[in-house]
Amino acid sequence: MAEDEFYPQVPVFDGFARLTDTALYRPLPEDWVIGLSDVVSSTAAIRAGQYKSVNVAGAALIAAVSNALAQRDFPFAFGGDGASFALPPGDAETARAALAATAAWVRDELGLTLRVGLVPVASIRTAGWDVRVARYAPSPNVTYAMFMGGGLAWAERELKAGAFAVEPAPAGTRPDLTGLSCRWQEFPARHGVVVSLIAAPAVAEGEAGFRELVGDILRMTGRESEAEHPMIDLARGLAWPPPGLDVEARASRGAGQPLLLRKLVLGLHSLAGWALFRFGIPLGGFQPRRYMREMVANADYRKYDDGLRMTLDCTPTLANRLEARLLAAEQAGIARFGLHRQDSAIVTCFTPSPLRSDHVHFVDGAAGGYAAAASRLKPS
């Protein structure tokens, strides 16, 4: 099989409840590489009010790699304060360059340290772990990679210990972040609280107790009266000026372009966009109502990345029940978990073209989110 044919042939499933079905997952080829990033001291940065910057730093790597591959489909996962992806060996140098350039941009423009690395799949398997991938379609327009096998979690631990690191590029190096934006306001909880939840297997995904736990969580969160998509009502996130204007200006300005000038241009552009969305005004081939429907349908508020990750708008009562169920599973040696509560959710968008339907949207809690939840996870 040619190296660019593997991922398109991975089966696509559209029922999220099937995410622990191991038959849906395919092992990555031995000669592939895994790219990783995470923001150093992300929890402290979020406490300091830099939650938008932290999320954009995580999503930036996905945008940089996608643009470097001319938007070719590839497996990736957004983790709140970082991201991961997999590529065949022929794209390894492209991946390394994107990692280095993104780390440099995050350092230079956002004032954060983005730890990045490139890990051979063969090294993961030598260490006794695996990386298997499936493709989940939340809508007919996009698929998101689901990862299983423990290999990504192992690679992240190794990266934090100093292994497989890629050095940031020299100052002034910029990745191509075309399409990366963060123009939506926070989405306040409608049911009382936004929960960011991570549940990882203590032993293996195939263990019956963990599959039962995931099934219980999905059943508990399946009632719209108690839990729902945090972006189900996009009108709550429509406002101007956008809170992420400065970050988006830093992502989209050209080399040598003054930041103030780019913010002015982007501010006027975003004001026009706000009017189109607010009043549903079509412009050329752009249909704002359709885009908003697709945005909700395409969002990645549920995923599996060596563990279940969900950001949900839910009732405090349900949040308590979820935490109790997870704690019982942890005490039984079935799972490790982190659960963080906040008042709202945020979204970072990657839209290479507003005229296409395959735009993707990365959802997280607005006050710690996955980073805060992960800090509670006990070591595996």
Side-chain angles (χ1 to χ4, degrees):
M1 184 185 299
E3 62 183 29
D4 60 348
E5 292 179 0
F6 166 76
Y7 191 56
Q9 293 188 23
V10 173
V12 176
F13 69 99
D14 59 5
F16 190 74
R18 301 177 63 197
L19 84 165
T20 57
D21 181 354
T22 56
L24 295 171
Y25 290 77
R26 299 291 183 269
L28 286 181
E30 187 83 2
D31 56 356
W32 276 42
V33 293
I34 300 293
L36 300 160
S37 73
D38 81 286
V39 175
V40 177
S41 301
S42 59
T43 304
I46 291 167
R47 282 199 299 264
Q50 293 180 279
Y51 58 91
K52 272 285 185 185
S53 294
V54 168
N55 272 252
V56 169
L61 180 61
I62 297 170
V65 174
S66 181
N67 287 329
L69 297 175
Q71 282 88 55
R72 191 181 85 219
D73 200 12
F74 68 103
F76 64 81
F78 170 73
D81 61 347
S84 52
F85 63 87
L87 287 176
D91 294 317
E93 288 311 307
T94 297
R96 186 177 296 276
L99 287 160
T102 304
W105 177 79
V106 170
R107 177 197 62 208
D108 297 345
E109 293 286 0
L110 305 184
L112 298 170
T113 299
L114 188 69
R115 184 189 288 118
V116 294
L118 197 63
V119 185
V121 170
S123 297
I124 293 173
R125 293 199 173 117
T126 298
W129 302 91
D130 198 6
V131 184
R132 303 190 299 277
V133 65
R135 298 171 68 202
Y136 167 59
S139 79
N141 306 312
V142 299
T143 63
Y144 287 105
M146 306 281 114
F147 291 99
M148 183 179 281
L152 290 189
W154 176 85
E156 183 177 351
R157 292 192 298 270
E158 290 295 299
L159 178 63
K160 289 180 177 179
F164 304 108
V166 172
E167 291 299 315
T173 305
R174 302 180 60 85
D176 181 358
L177 299 179
T178 302
L180 185 67
S181 65
C182 43
R183 297 182 185 178
W184 297 83
Q185 302 282 340
E186 294 180 14
F187 293 87
R190 301 202 313 173
H191 291 290
V193 64
V194 169
V195 166
S196 294
L197 176 157
I198 304 174
V203 182
E205 296 98 343
E207 202 269 335
F210 185 74
R211 293 200 306 270
E212 181 181 349
L213 170 66
V214 172
D216 286 350
I217 292 172
L218 296 183
R219 282 189 291 273
M220 292 167 70
T221 58
R223 292 169 55 89
E224 292 182 4
S225 60
E226 293 187 280
E228 66 181 1
H229 192 319
M231 293 161 47
I232 197 70
D233 180 8
L234 282 180
R236 294 177 301 145
L238 267 179
W240 193 89
L245 182 65
D246 179 77
V247 176
E248 186 176 345
R250 293 176 184 277
S252 61
R253 66 172 171 157
Q257 184 180 30
L259 179 60
L260 183 61
L261 176 60
R262 182 55 188 159
K263 287 174 71 172
L264 176 62
V265 172
L266 192 61
L268 294 173
H269 188 267
S270 64
L271 177 60
W274 172 85
L276 295 181
F277 282 118
R278 175 66 179 82
F279 300 106
I281 304 169
L283 180 65
F286 179 64
Q287 300 288 331
R289 300 295 188 210
R290 184 189 67 190
Y291 182 94
M292 292 172 75
R293 289 193 300 270
E294 292 169 349
M295 183 175 172
V296 174
N298 293 1
D300 80 330
Y301 74 105
R302 304 184 299 179
K303 66 192 86 177
Y304 195 90
D305 172 9
D306 276 346
L308 176 66
R309 292 175 180 257
M310 307 175 77
T311 293
L312 296 169
D313 182 341
C314 69
T315 64
T317 300
L318 177 58
N320 291 339
R321 286 165 46 211
L322 287 168
E323 190 161 20
R325 178 67 179 93
L326 288 161
L327 185 59
E330 183 178 73
Q331 292 171 342
I334 292 169
R336 302 173 298 117
F337 82 94
L339 186 147
H340 185 68
R341 308 177 194 220
Q342 53 248 295
D343 296 331
S344 57
I346 55 174
V347 62
T348 302
C349 308
F350 178 49
T351 307
S353 169
L355 301 181
R356 290 172 13 196
S357 297
D358 59 350
H359 40 98
V360 296
H361 306 275
F362 305 116
V363 183
D364 198 5
Y370 290 129
S375 69
R376 192 247 177 236
L377 281 172
K378 295 180 179 179
S380 59

